[in-house]
Amino acid sequence: AVTRTFSIIKPDATRRNLTGAVTKMLEEAGLRVVASKRIHMTKEQAEGFYAVHAERPFFGELVEFMMSEPVVVQVLEGEDAVKRNRDIMGATNPAEADEGTIRKEYALSIGENTVHGSDSDENAKIEIGFFFNEDEIVG
Ligand code: CMP
């Protein structure tokens, strides 16, 4: 089925002017960008978005990183979008990412790993709703 997922092009990528390069890989993987905006996350947004990781030792570092430079938040649409996006992103740790994936190509470390993608349809809905109103999504 055609579904939606949520993506973030992270600060390590916007800093290196890789917004287009990353988006090209998403598009070539069969995903369509149906909403996109460049934002500078506030502390409230970064902490709220990653609230599930609040107890992790790297939470502070993660929040600081996500606020350090602009990010590009996107809604992606395609056949089985969550899995399709996770496949093209590659493993969280770039050292474990397969050839041909975004993180293998561009990620610097497990923290500075270029992209975020939703891990389930349920979380995709929540994450999309965190950053977009329905009228900003144009399929
Ligand atoms: P993301 O998919 O955005 O969701 C949570 C993020 O936490 C994850 O990608 C990683 O970038 C980050 N992360 C996971 N483990 C670590 C770690 N050990 N140190 C720093 N960041 C981490």
Side-chain angles (χ1 to χ4, degrees):
V2 173
T3 59
R4 288 175 177 172
T5 191
F6 176 74
S7 171
I8 305 177
I9 302 177
K10 293 188 179 186
D12 66 281
T14 61
R15 189 176 73 220
R16 290 177 289 156
N17 210 21
L18 293 172
T19 297
V22 170
T23 302
K24 184 167 193 275
M25 289 183 77
L26 297 171
E27 290 178 339
E28 284 175 352
L31 293 159
R32 178 176 293 270
V33 180
V34 294
S36 183
K37 58 188 172 189
R38 181 172 165 105
I39 61 170
H40 205 143
M41 273 199 205
T42 63
K43 192 174 178 72
E44 289 66 33
Q45 282 176 313
E47 287 180 346
F49 182 76
Y50 282 118
V52 294
H53 297 302
E55 303 307 320
R56 305 277 191 99
F58 58 80
F59 182 66
E61 186 187 321
L62 174 60
V63 167
E64 287 302 315
F65 171 58
M66 294 303 288
M67 297 168 51
S68 66
E69 303 262 356
V71 300
V72 177
V73 290
Q74 297 178 319
V75 180
L76 307 176
E77 194 173 86
E79 190 68 30
D80 215 351
V82 168
K83 180 175 189 302
R84 195 175 282 265
N85 186 39
R86 290 183 75 76
D87 287 349
I88 191 61
M89 283 196 298
T92 303
N93 183 347
E96 293 163 11
D98 288 340
E99 286 299 331
T101 63
I102 293 169
R103 284 165 170 162
K104 176 72 180 188
E105 191 76 26
Y106 295 120
L108 302 175
S109 66
I110 193 167
E112 297 197 318
N113 66 352
T114 309
V115 280
H116 164 83
S118 308
D119 63 4
S120 67
D121 287 348
E122 190 190 359
N123 282 335
K125 279 204 178 60
I126 294 168
E127 293 178 359
I128 289 168
F130 198 88
F131 288 106
F132 290 99
N133 293 315
E134 195 54 43
D135 68 0
E136 293 178 292
I137 305 168
V138 183

